[in-house]
Amino acid sequence: MAVTGDETESAATGDIPAYQLRSPNSGLAHSIMMAASPGNMQSPPPPHTEAITLKREVRLMKNREAARECRRKKKEYVKCLENRVAVLENQNKTLIEELKALKDIYCHKAE
DNA sequence: CAGGCTATCCGTCACGCACG
DNA sequence: CGTGCGTGACGGATAGCCTG
């Protein structure tokens, strides 16, 4: 639990953490990519790569939010399933008791 | 108290699917 | 067929708990 949620704020303000600004050629293990910090970049990128970078940033931002939403929905779904389990367990318990009572009645009649 | 372990959250990547 | 979206998988960060 106990998560600050500060990255949400920074995303909302457009203040993108440095580690998220990576080279556009994906496919590498992301631990390697994490190591490639902007500080290592010596010369400014050619102008056309700026558009690519922007596109990538937009994509990352959208995906970030999509992942958040996806997790929220999944949590909700799991909660629903847990509720359903609880209800069915109660129903089952009730039915077992009812069956037991009916069996008792039937047995006493048979005597 | 330091260090290990575990649970949880998050961002990113990769992939499959639906749509235009 | 290209594009965008949803989601599983992965690894990093952080907090809380336990133990020596």
Side-chain angles (χ1 to χ4, degrees):
Chain A
M1 298 283 183
V3 167
T4 57
D6 41 352
E7 97 291 339
T8 308
E9 283 167 31
S10 65
T13 54
D15 189 12
I16 299 162
Y19 72 88
Q20 286 178 14
L21 300 172
R22 305 199 239 121
S23 76
N25 32 335
S26 58
L28 294 169
H30 89 280
S31 56
I32 295 171
M33 299 175 78
M34 297 268 251
S37 71
N40 298 340
M41 302 298 191
Q42 298 294 352
S43 55
H48 78 280
T49 58
E50 281 177 29
I52 296 173
T53 306
L54 185 68
K55 215 173 164 184
R56 177 182 156 72
E57 277 175 23
V58 168
R59 166 66 188 144
L60 285 181
M61 207 172 76
K62 281 188 177 177
N63 189 240
R64 204 178 302 140
E65 276 167 30
R68 237 177 257 151
E69 177 66 9
C70 185
R71 286 176 182 130
R72 191 193 61 78
K73 275 164 62 182
K74 191 175 180 179
K75 256 188 175 178
E76 204 177 289
Y77 175 68
V78 168
K79 218 178 254 178
C80 275
L81 285 182
E82 285 170 347
N83 280 345
R84 192 164 154 69
V85 166
V87 167
L88 289 175
E89 275 175 351
N90 274 341
Q91 269 183 21
N92 199 32
K93 214 182 277 178
T94 306
L95 288 171
I96 286 171
E97 305 247 324
E98 205 177 313
L99 178 63
K100 210 165 121 191
L102 288 172
K103 270 183 178 172
D104 271 0
I105 293 171
Y106 179 77
C107 282
H108 286 120
K109 261 192 178 176
E111 281 169 13

